[in-house]
Amino acid sequence: MDRHENTPEELAALELYHQLANLSPDNGERALMVTLRLPNGRYVGDVWLSKQDVPDLSDACIGLAAVREHQDATQLPDADNVDMDAALAALENLANGGE
């Protein structure tokens, strides 16, 4: 990449590139090459991954998705924006066997 002020998106892409590049030693058996580009198509870099990197990254992505799903499911609403009468009615309905 040429010298210019990097955007937060470019910095995040460069960070990901360096993290992927540092996963395995350069002399490892290559199994996959990943090319990183910005949304505008600008090239960031190519990263070689070893046979062990591929399933490890896949497992890490599954774990990240599960964490994000859990976080989304446990987000509490902002108390200032809650219709308390409706919330209490819903809880009362649930306690009385409703759904």
Side-chain angles (χ1 to χ4, degrees):
M1 301 182 86
D2 59 358
R3 293 179 183 232
H4 70 286
E5 191 68 28
N6 290 311
T7 66
E9 293 80 13
E10 290 169 329
L11 291 174
L14 287 169
E15 175 67 22
L16 177 60
Y17 168 79
H18 288 288
Q19 292 299 328
L20 290 171
N22 290 323
L23 276 178
S24 58
D26 291 336
N27 60 355
E29 187 176 347
R30 295 176 173 180
L32 183 69
M33 183 185 3
V34 176
T35 299
L36 298 173
R37 293 186 177 271
L38 298 174
N40 63 6
R42 187 174 182 170
Y43 177 79
V44 175
D46 294 323
V47 179
W48 284 103
L49 301 174
S50 73
K51 282 186 171 184
Q52 188 57 45
D53 293 339
V54 176
D56 288 349
L57 279 171
S58 181
D59 291 345
C61 289
I62 291 168
L64 179 59
V67 166
R68 287 186 176 171
E69 184 177 314
H70 175 73
Q71 286 174 340
D72 290 344
T74 59
Q75 291 286 325
L76 296 176
D78 181 7
D80 293 334
N81 295 326
V82 173
D83 179 352
M84 291 305 281
D85 290 332
L88 289 172
L91 283 172
E92 184 177 313
N93 184 39
L94 184 62
N96 290 327
E99 292 186 21

